[in-house]
Each structure stands twice: as C-alpha cells, then as structure tokens.
Amino acid sequence: MATSYTARSRAIEPFHVMALLARANELQAAGHDVIHLEIGEPDFTTAAPIVAAGQAALAAGHTRYTAARGLPALRQAIARFYGQRHGLDLDPERILITPGGSGALLLASSLLVEPGKHWLLADPGYPCNRHFLRLVEASAQLVPVDAGSRYQLTPELVQRHWNADSVGALVASPANPTGTLLSRDELAALASTSRGLGGHLVVDEIYHGLTYGADAASVLEVDDSAFVLNSFSKYFGMTGWRLGWLVAPRDAVPHLEKLAQNLYISASSMAQHAALACFEPDTLALLEARRHEFGLRRDYLLPALRALGFGIDVEPEGAFYLYADISAFGGDAYAFCQHFIETEHVAFTPGLDFGRHRADRHVRFAYTQSLPRLREAVQRIERGLRSWAAR
C-alpha cells in the first residue's frame, strides 16, 4: 500500500541549490578545489568569546530547559542592544528567544495568518518565508519586484496587490537575495499602509549589522506594533547554534509564549548562555572587523562581475549577496549554475530558489569567501563564460 503524505509536505519545495551543493561536495571529495559561493553562511567561525561562553555554560551545567521566552539576561541584553544601535527603549518582555530566525518566523506565521489567508512577499525573496506560510495552511502572495523599487515592496505595490485574503506584509531589510535596504521613511510608509489596510507588518532584520556605507533602520523606530524577526546567525556568526529572536507587541507575547511552549519548549540553553557574550565590547569589535571584511569583498566582487557582463542594476547595501542577471549570456539559470560547477568548480545559486519573477534569468553569489578565493572565482568564471558561449 502506497504511503499517503500531506498536501502541505508535497507543496513545500526543496532548495534547488542543495542538489548543486551535493554535486559540489562530490567533486570536492574527489579532490577538486571547489569555491563555494552558494550558501548563505559566513565563512568565519563563531567568535572565540562566544565559544568560550558556551563552553563555560556547559561546564557550569547550564543544560536544562529555560523559560519558553528565553533567558531574562539575554532578553535584557538584546533590549540594551536596540538602545545602543537604534536609540530605542525596548521592553525585554516583548522579546522571545527562538531556535534560529526560523523559529521566530514559525511563531509569527502561526500567530498572525489564518488558513486560507496570506501575506504579501517580494519576489524574489527568501524561500522559507513562503514555505512557512504553507505549513500553517496559509500562503504567500508573491509580488514581482525589480530594480525600480530596489527589489522591495512599496506602499503602492502593497495597495495594488492587497485583497480580501491579505492579512499583512513581510519585508526584509537587508534582503536576501538582493542585499537591498529599506530606509526609515520607507519602513514608516509601509507600516502606515499596512495599518491602514487593517494588516500587520512583519520585518525580517536578520542581516542587521551587515551593512556597508549605510546603517539599517529598525522598523521599531517608526512602528511599535510591527513584528521583528532577527537571528544570531549572520552578524553574530552563530549559524550552527540555532538561535534567534522575535520582537512583538506586548499584547501578542502571551499568545506567542503559549505557541513556543508547545512548538519547541525553549531554545538551546547552552546557545543562549553563549550568546550573552555577543554584546561584550571585545566581541562587537571583532564582529565589526568582520563586517569591514565583507564590505571589501562586496567592493571587489560587484564591479568584477559587472565587468564580465552580469547585470546587477542595484548596488546592495547589506547582507553578503549579489543577485545577478545572466540574460547577456543566454540559457537557463539552473543549467548555467551546473555548467560552472562541472567545468570550473565554482558553485552559486540559481534564481528559482528565490521565487518566480525572472528567476530563470538570475543567480545569486554569496561573497562568503576570502578575497583571494573571490579573485580565483572571478578568473574561473571568466574562463567558464567562454566555454558556456561555445557549448
């Protein structure tokens, strides 16, 4: 008898890049030198002070469940951080510690979106956002965006695509895969529009801290009723620790706490104790040095790819990605990515992982490798373009 699995499990798409990553890893295991520009993970290991704090927590026996909302000391540290970075007097009681930014998204989508309803999302955008909505029997209304809006939703787009099933909008600043920011005024306008339509605004601020030449505003500076997703994975470099947080309006916290108790009990206690070290001055100095290095990488790779013919119409101001149009070279983005893995052993991500709007004409490069490796990658890509043209 054939096993019957749920429609929701069938509807959630895999990461297409994972098949390419598996092939890249096969080539690497066979002795080839593969340059990985496909995965959105900092190449730096977790900073030593954070690791030491985690080791100390284990040695001290901090291995039990915490409260579902997380360690009070960590929530207080995050609130102080918002005060330092954004001038906000944020009540720690509004912060919930979650298993990664994904845990924050799970809580927000479970709380805010009824079955059959939807959020508006920019296309292209991070794929898990729409998949989490499907998991709670809701959906994503994908709104095509381009360089004209810096690949972000605008109040005009929200109003144009809003309908009876819309209950909110989810935006990201800085955004994955495009690296673009929403200014303070743009966030305020989106918040006003969402409220006027009777909906919620949810803002993914997971790449906050990783900006170059511009500081990212928090939506909490302009809208105290917004929901904010954040994570220790990107700026703080704690990807494998699986730790994030959600900031919510005060009246939502009891409902979110109840969901957290049932969905995951609590985030990792060891990771929470380790994360306390994130906000120490020495740790922040190290993280700022890493941000500077990412900026240098962007400033090298962006003009280098443009010189080769890749279309990058908008300069990214944050994250560590370049979203590039390959129309000048012809062909399909997935086949394009396969070609470079097989011929030049350079891995990057096809656009169809990020949505549907011109996805087969775009690829994403993650500048999560050192400058010497990026220079080597550009040389290989230049050579690979010649073989692609001659195929």
Side-chain angles (χ1 to χ4, degrees), residues 40-64:
E41 181 171 31
D43 54 323
F44 302 108
T45 58
T46 301
I50 302 172
V51 174
Q55 292 169 332
L58 288 170
H62 295 307
T63 58
R64 298 180 179 275

Side-chain angles (χ1 to χ4, degrees), residues 17-326:
V17 72
M18 298 313 292
L20 297 170
L21 176 61
R23 178 56 181 154
N25 288 338
E26 286 177 3
L27 290 166
Q28 195 163 297
H32 297 284
D33 176 29
V34 177
I35 301 178
H36 291 276
L37 306 180
E38 77 279 40
I39 300 300
E41 181 171 31
D43 54 323
F44 302 108
T45 58
T46 301
I50 302 172
V51 174
Q55 292 169 332
L58 288 170
H62 295 307
T63 58
R64 298 180 179 275
Y65 297 132
T66 70
R69 282 188 290 162
L71 288 175
L74 183 56
R75 292 188 285 112
Q76 291 162 8
I78 292 170
R80 287 193 298 271
F81 193 62
Y82 276 95
Q84 295 161 6
R85 290 288 172 102
H86 302 288
L88 293 169
D89 183 14
L90 180 62
D91 184 353
E93 295 302 306
R94 294 176 53 194
I95 300 170
L96 294 95
I97 309 300
T98 59
S102 298
L105 179 60
L106 178 60
L107 289 183
S109 56
S110 298
L111 179 75
L112 298 175
V113 196
E114 295 282 5
K117 302 298 183 178
H118 63 245
W119 280 341
L120 273 61
L121 274 65
D123 180 3
Y126 181 56
C128 288
N129 294 337
R130 65 181 188 268
H131 295 157
F132 267 101
L133 290 170
R134 180 63 185 89
L135 189 67
V136 298
E137 300 297 339
S139 63
Q141 175 74 18
L142 296 182
V143 178
V145 292
D146 55 26
S149 66
R150 297 182 57 79
Y151 295 97
Q152 294 282 359
L153 292 184
T154 64
E156 294 75 21
L157 288 170
V158 169
Q159 289 176 331
R160 187 187 314 161
H161 290 271
W162 196 273
N163 61 39
D165 291 327
S166 305
V167 294
L170 170 61
V171 297
S173 178
N176 177 10
T178 60
T180 61
L181 296 178
L182 287 162
S183 70
R184 196 174 190 275
D185 289 346
E186 288 169 331
L187 287 166
L190 282 168
S192 175
T193 299
S194 298
R195 284 195 306 270
L197 292 167
H200 297 281
L201 179 63
V202 182
V203 183
D204 172 349
E205 298 184 355
I206 283 171
Y207 290 94
H208 265 220
L210 291 174
T211 58
Y212 320 105
D215 291 328
S218 173
V219 68
L220 297 174
E221 298 172 30
V222 296
D223 182 12
D224 207 43
S225 67
F227 289 74
V228 173
L229 316 174
N230 214 319
S231 173
F232 286 94
S233 290
K234 307 304 182 181
Y235 176 66
F236 295 105
M238 296 180 67
T239 50
W241 300 77
R242 306 311 304 130
L243 199 66
W245 72 85
L246 171 66
V247 183
R250 192 185 307 274
D251 64 351
V253 171
H255 305 283
L256 291 165
E257 182 175 21
K258 178 177 59 178
L259 288 168
Q261 290 167 343
N262 284 276
L263 290 171
Y264 54 79
I265 301 178
S266 69
S268 161
S269 57
M270 296 78 74
Q272 291 186 63
H273 281 279
L276 288 169
C278 289
F279 306 103
E280 296 296 328
D282 289 349
T283 308
L284 290 172
L286 177 58
L287 299 178
E288 285 299 299
R290 293 179 174 185
R291 169 165 69 157
H292 177 71
E293 174 65 20
F294 279 124
L296 294 177
R297 295 174 184 183
R298 182 204 64 166
D299 292 345
Y300 165 72
L301 190 59
L302 176 61
L305 291 176
R306 282 173 167 169
L308 293 178
F310 289 89
I312 307 173
D313 296 331
V314 177
E315 180 173 307
E317 297 170 296
F320 34 62
Y321 306 117
L322 297 173
Y323 196 60
D325 190 331
I326 63 165

